[in-house]
Amino acid sequence: MKDLLDSGIRSGLFYRSFFDQLGQAAFLLDRSGTVFTGNPACEELLGFAPEEWAGIPFWLLAVPEEREMVRLQTQFAMEGNPKPFCTSLAHNDDYSVPVHITFDTFFTEGVAVGYFAIVQEIRTNATDSNGNKACKFVDVSSEGVFIYRAGKLHYANQVGVKIAGATHLNKLLQVPFSMLFHPHDLPMIEDMMLRVEKGEVVNPLEVELIRLDGILIDAEVCATNAIISGKSTCYVLIRDITERKRAQEFLQNSEKLALVGQLAAGIAHEIRNPLTSLKGFVQLMQKDGMRKPEYFAIMSSELARIELIVNELLVLAKPHAAAFEARDLSNLISHVVTLLETEAILRKVMIRVVFETEMPMIRCDENHLKQAFINFLKNGIEAMQGSGEIVIRLRCEDNRVVIRFEDNGMGIPPEQLTRLGEAFFTTKESGTGLGLMVSRTIIENHRGTLRLMSALGEGTTVEVSLPVHG
């Protein structure tokens, strides 16, 4: 009988038309249920080379808890009563593969000499550990969808498996869901999951994802709650935004360099003044040989001012990764004003800072916030005609700080105000509109809000609201 089976499987017509061309995994079993051979798709499905599974009972390919059921189904097929069924086979990389199996009889010269086992991997209609079918949409979603219940991940679609850097769903299910997130983002994720379980609506979060292959990516996470089979289930959607973040960072760095160029003239005046003082004192000391202590105090003060201005300029020009730390908002505003006060003086504009309440610490990327605030302040200075005043007001409300940049310039018409922040839309003759767009992105990345208010002939106000640190 084995010779007949071997003769049939090796016949050219059968081998080419079935084993080489069939996309599904197909095992050929002898009359005892032992695997005789299989097509190339079998190795692709289970990761075993043909010599590793040839000669062993077919049911031993199943995971241990399914073997008895597979043995009985194989026996029914050999008795002439084959029935399609679902089970899980064991992959060479030590995870289970959910499959659908159909048996059929293999004849040679009219004699039944063996059986086909057609094995198809189940990729759709996800099921959880209780056997309940989850919503079909997760398998066709273009985003990573993770089904989360009672503190445990139950399922992820193929996009989600890929985003997580796993080779297979079962590999992903073997690790805690929390391990996918960077430790500094875990408190936000845990808070989001708790709120979703209570039925609250939450805004998407931008976090860092640590894939199972060790690669760090930027991701956007949102979640919603649903009742499936009477049980509360959380759907977590994860989108890879690494390329989007890179594009934003490139735009921010380009805008930084543009700002540095625009500030160069004002800073040149700012540095020239203390340099003139230093030069005069040095010449005086060389001529008269005087070494008065007050000379050294003035010279040290002027040098410190030059150093501050140069350092602030280099900080703005240097590209860097976002680094959120607790910072003193008062000092941050002071540094921004230092950079722009000379340009303001040249345009006959006065800058006044008003602290309406005591300022708490905020968690921010100091350099990015400086970039945004410089944009707001510079726009206000350029909006003046002849002379004017800009007032920067700071106050604390509940758990947020509010910073208002108020100018008394010409104001902006309502139809133009609604379009501010769009790329390449600007009210300036030589502007690009990118500055305000980048600034809005920076504020939103700090989980803040930006509001523009203006009235023709009265001026414009830019209001920024940011969360308080800790």
Side-chain angles (χ1 to χ4, degrees), residues 93 119 309 467:
D93 289 335
V119 183
I309 293 169

Side-chain angles (χ1 to χ4, degrees), residues 344-345 348-352 384 388-391:
I345 291 171
K348 299 180 180 179
V349 174
M350 189 172 91
I351 301 174
R352 189 159 53 94
M384 303 294 181
E389 181 184 49
I390 295 178
V391 180

Side-chain angles (χ1 to χ4, degrees), residues 27-31 77-78 103-106 113-117:
F27 292 91
L28 183 61
L29 315 180
D30 64 17
R31 295 292 299 273
M78 294 177 181
F103 285 114
D104 202 355
T105 306
F106 175 44
V113 294
Y115 303 91
F116 298 132

Side-chain angles (χ1 to χ4, degrees), residues 282-312:
V282 168
Q283 290 175 343
L284 186 61
M285 292 167 65
Q286 287 176 335
K287 183 177 180 180
D288 298 333
M290 292 185 295
R291 299 291 189 270
K292 292 185 178 182
E294 57 265 28
Y295 288 178
F296 293 105
I298 295 172
M299 292 171 70
S300 296
S301 174
E302 297 291 72
L303 285 171
R305 182 165 183 78
I306 292 174
E307 184 180 26
L308 171 64
I309 293 169
V310 171
N311 286 340
E312 290 296 318

Side-chain angles (χ1 to χ4, degrees), residues 157-175:
N157 64 355
Q158 290 298 311
V159 178
V161 172
K162 183 178 179 181
I163 287 176
T167 56
H168 194 277
L169 173 61
N170 294 74
K171 287 288 186 182
L172 181 58
L173 297 179
Q174 291 172 12
V175 300

